[in-house]
Amino acid sequence: MALFAKDHMLGTIEVSGQSDAFEALAAAAVRLGVATDQAAVVADYKERELEATTGFGGGIAIPHSKTDNVSDATLLFARLSQPVEWNSLDGAPVDTLISILAPKSGADVHLQLLAKLARKLMHDDFTAVLKGGSADEVYEAIQAAIS
């Protein structure tokens, strides 16, 4: 299974809050065949969010989880239909998501991916593409960030 493929670009998802965003991401992961149990993935996202916010600021969050419901690390990208409260580091709502799901067993691939993405989020050109670029531009930017 590819870490990040074009079909992992989810477009704009309709949400009314953080829980809806988790549901949509988990449903997509199951639909794409990268996760096995939608409810368990949602619970994993929520559990991780209780530890510390995944809202990095500037309207971008990287919800992530180590879970028994995936066999390979996977990234998903989505924009939200409307900004939602996320308890972000800057207090701003979130409208752009990069999700990382990784298996509980194995190396800490999710931490490596998170570090690479977090470094790129410090660059305005990268965040501008995430927020307003075409699907192809976003895909290429994320691929470059994680390779």
Side-chain angles (χ1 to χ4, degrees), residues 11-87:
T12 300
I13 55 177
E14 294 288 326
V15 299
S16 61
Q18 186 184 64
S19 289
D20 281 355
F22 291 154
E23 289 284 348
L25 290 169
V30 170
R31 184 179 70 251
L32 292 167
V34 298
T36 56
D37 184 334
Q38 180 177 335
V41 172
V42 170
D44 291 335
Y45 278 133
K46 289 180 177 180
E47 181 180 325
R48 170 57 190 85
E49 200 68 31
L50 289 174
E51 293 174 21
T53 185
T54 58
F56 277 74
I60 299 172
I62 306 179
H64 56 280
S65 178
K66 287 185 79 169
T67 177
D68 288 326
N69 294 288
V70 299
S71 57
D72 298 300
T74 300
L75 262 67
L76 303 171
F77 175 83
R79 291 183 180 133
L80 304 181
S81 58
Q82 61 186 0
V84 298
E85 175 55 41
W86 206 274
N87 192 32

Side-chain angles (χ1 to χ4, degrees), residues 2-13:
L3 170 64
F4 185 59
K6 289 225 176 186
D7 62 350
H8 295 183
M9 298 286 299
L10 306 180
T12 300
I13 55 177

